[in-house]
Amino acid sequence: MSEILKNVGKRIREIRKAKGLSQTALAEKCGFTFSYIGGVERAEKNISLINLEKIAVCLDVGVHQFFVYSYQYEQLPANEKIIQEVVSMLIQHDEGTIEMAKNILSEVLKRSRQ
């Protein structure tokens, strides 16, 4: 099984779940079957660029988001895994929401130093 197919499928699953969508809901939005989405997520399907773009549009992310992953993720220290998870959550939102999250985090960190 291709490593890139596994990693892309895993990212699609992560983003889909973060958006609160089931495989069936995503499949319906894209015009696919739920078994196709499942096959992509399990790296059983060699997804075309056109279908990858359809999924990105339905998830409201750029195609490049499916390639944002760390080969060493499982070996990262716990605090770096948390940082990766925060980045994954933020990257799915618009600039205004990200700015608001940054401001909130900044305030939390200021208060934790006091």
Side-chain angles (χ1 to χ4, degrees):
M1 188 178 310
S2 168
E3 200 65 26
I4 193 167
L5 290 177
K6 286 194 283 188
N7 288 325
V8 169
K10 186 176 180 181
R11 281 296 293 150
I12 290 171
R13 179 181 294 119
E14 289 170 357
I15 295 168
R16 174 182 59 76
K17 286 184 173 186
K19 300 274 184 176
L21 294 172
S22 66
Q23 287 180 343
T24 302
L26 177 59
E28 288 174 0
K29 281 181 79 170
C30 297
F32 300 138
T33 64
F34 77 92
S35 62
Y36 178 77
I37 296 294
V40 169
E41 290 182 356
R42 291 186 303 275
E44 297 168 356
K45 302 282 184 192
N46 188 2
I47 187 169
S48 71
L49 291 175
I50 292 169
N51 287 349
L52 198 60
E53 181 182 41
K54 286 180 184 178
I55 292 172
V57 167
C58 292
L59 290 173
D60 195 31
V61 297
V63 172
H64 69 283
Q65 293 304 315
F66 300 141
F67 300 95
V68 177
Y69 48 80
S70 170
Y71 288 105
Q72 305 300 321
Y73 181 78
E74 283 73 24
Q75 298 171 356
L76 290 175
N79 62 335
E80 289 186 33
K81 281 185 182 180
I82 294 168
I83 291 168
Q84 287 285 336
E85 290 170 11
V86 170
V87 169
S88 290
M89 286 189 299
L90 291 173
I91 218 154
Q92 301 170 35
H93 295 280
D94 62 73
E95 187 176 341
T97 303
I98 294 170
E99 183 69 28
M100 182 173 49
K102 181 191 85 166
N103 293 337
I104 292 168
L105 181 59
S106 178
E107 287 300 315
V108 168
L109 293 175
K110 281 182 199 174
R111 292 172 194 239
S112 72
R113 289 186 208 130
Q114 296 174 351

